Amino acid sequence: MKPSFASLPAGVVRPLEQADLVRSDAAVKLSGMPLYLTDRIAPDQLRGAILGSPHPHARILRIDTAAACALAGVHAVVTHADIPGQADYGLRRVDRPALCRDRVRYVGDAVAAVAADTLDIAHAALDLIAVEYELLEALTCPEAALSPQAPELHAGGNLLHAHHHRLGDASAADAATVHRVSACYETPRQMHAFLETEGGVAECDGEGGLRLFFANHNPERERQVIAAMLALPAERVHSLGSPVGGSYGGKDELTVQPIAALLAWKTGRSVRLHLGRAQSSDFGVKRHPMRIRMESGCDARGRLTFHHVQILADTGAYATHGPEVLDAALEHAPGPYAWQSVDIAGRLAYTNNGVAGAFRGFGAVQVQFALEQQVDRLAGAAGLDPAHFRAQNLKPADAPGPLGQTVVPFDGPQRALAALVQHPLWTAHRTRHWSDGPHVRYRHGIGLALVHRSDGFGKGFPFGCRMELALAADGAIELRSGFTELGQNLLAAVRNTCMHFLHCSAQDLRPVLGDTRCTPDSGPVAASRATTLVWRALQRAAPQWRAQLCAATAALHGLPLESLRLGAGGIHGPAGLVASYARLARLLGAQRPAIAIDQAPEVTPSDAPDTHYVFGACAAAAHAVVDSWTGSIRIVEMALVGAVGPVVSAMGYMGQLEGGALMGQALCTQEALDCVDGHYQQRNLDSYLVPTLADAPMFDVWAVEGLPEGDTAGPRGTGEISVNIAAPACANAIACALQAPIDRLPVRPETVFRLLEGASI
């Protein structure tokens, strides 16, 4: 969208107008380098392939690999019996077998794997593996899975996780209520559709260890899992992440790495294992589908009273991040609003559907779609403008968090909403009258949404991390971190933050990311936490760093310490450059400075488990056009106002806001991975359609950079909040166009026709 605002609202910037509009890694990526890790091809490399279960639920009676082993060109056939160490892995719940022993729990569950000279031979060998199954009842409905009569998919039952939160005076809230709205919302299973499907290379290092090259969020965890599975000391496993390919959360948990590692260990050879799109669809994790019942109320003046929420989520066959996803849904269900009372409960069921796990927007986007529909409906019932209704119901900046926990004071929702209502897209909403007759083919609607989004991990999880700041032998300033670049532009965030706090130039820096050989354990690059933690770490370590380098230079050159400062190229004095970083590194030799930065967990002091301490916010308006003849929907414009503190990288901010918003839009209008009797109905991108540039609206992205005085949390991450805001904004826009609430995503043509038939316009 071309800027139509001569001057932006106070405190707002448009990152598009800032300088760094070229990613630092753009040239190398456009040249085709670096390669995907699955393009790491060696002459003597073996190809791996996995035999997945064709059944959603079955008992394994027998696995016969003799014929496969005898096939020429086959170097290894592995089953669960070949695992020398820990056979299962998982995050909060260790429940997922690397290779199934006695039972398969979903279509695609790995039963055996082969390493062979070629991929054709590997696939031929898979065909020769005889697996005898006894079919079992498949539980593909979460309600049925939680019934007392349902067979147990895991020891302990099919209820993986549940929580219930009650806050406030329910009786008083009920008595004050004048307007009530209730609905049951459903959100779909969504596929990550990253460019590079799950894959990589595992190879023996010739020294009794193993090297792993897989796109992942946490190389340290990957090597720990593999070492435990192979009964190796962790230091004998070297794990390296990938700078390309994308993840969106889908590579947070391990998938094919254990199997590739086992094949490499068994053969002593390099093994390349790469899932095709169809097998990736079966095997990989997806967004949790949810059914959300909400009943909410407000008083005669439009003041929110009560909010009752019940969530049922389907996690599929294994836990991965399922409990954390449900916790996020519960925590974000009240939004940034001041309810008199809330009663929020959620259950997470094991089923025999494919596995659901981490996905950008992480558990919150489902309830935010439902909540923002509820808020619009309450505003309508109270006869109030939806923006005004939201503004009058926002919590004060210093109020407790959504579940009553202590949080960092934050006024982002107020600031984002105040800016958005001044955007031309929203102000036009007051004057345009598009859908003014029953025979109008194209119906237009403008929707508004407001969300807040937790930053980092919740209480009880390892939010802390370690990084290192060091002067390398060649004079490069290195920030070493286990965080991985997956395409999200973390490199630029690291460079810009280093330049900001260390006063050096981009040419002086060399970020070192995601390599267990030379980076410390920083935990996963997830939950939009990396940029925030890098900022806080450097903010704390920079004074020590500058002091060490200046002191060393003063001693070497006999200069007064107070006359020196760090700058581009090296240490400067009143007359200019005194010593380059390279010269300083040579002179110091082994005494070069290296600072270990341990970033302590920043968690709420409240007792409430699994809650967060830091939040960001975003407001958005979307313009939807609905074709009443075909039922198709097009989002033509979207305005996004993020309130996440200082913009560390303008290009990174733009990329995350626009890219995530398109993903959220697709959740609302386009994407749904249908699962029938445990079988996905779409297994390729010619039937599961993801949005392209042709589907993208005109974006206008603003940033509210200010934070409350005294805020020490710094910039909040932007990796997820754009998905969180776009889905409800688009849904509200469609509801506006149809003059009917939306209760199910995505909004398909048949839904459009159904709503048009009942609409009053």
Side-chain angles (χ1 to χ4, degrees), residues 85 186 256 284 347 413 473 523:
E186 294 190 17
V256 299
R347 296 178 297 159

Side-chain angles (χ1 to χ4, degrees), residues 150-176:
E152 288 190 351
L153 300 180
H154 291 272
N158 299 335
L159 180 62
L160 170 60
H161 189 58
H163 257 312
H164 193 173
H165 302 273
R166 290 192 184 95
L167 294 170
D169 186 337
S171 298
D174 186 66

Side-chain angles (χ1 to χ4, degrees), residues 52-54 96 106-110 189 191 198 275-286 317 352-356 673-675 678-684:
S53 166
R96 183 168 186 168
Y106 77 104
V107 172
D109 219 352
R189 185 178 284 101
M191 186 153 62
E198 298 89 341
L275 300 185
R277 186 65 69 179
Q279 195 170 25
S280 170
S281 300
D282 288 341
F283 194 73
V285 302
K286 309 293 182 295
N352 292 118
N353 294 318
V355 182
L673 183 58
D674 300 318
C675 192
H679 296 259
Y680 290 140
Q681 302 301 289
Q682 304 90 16
R683 301 176 69 234
N684 200 359

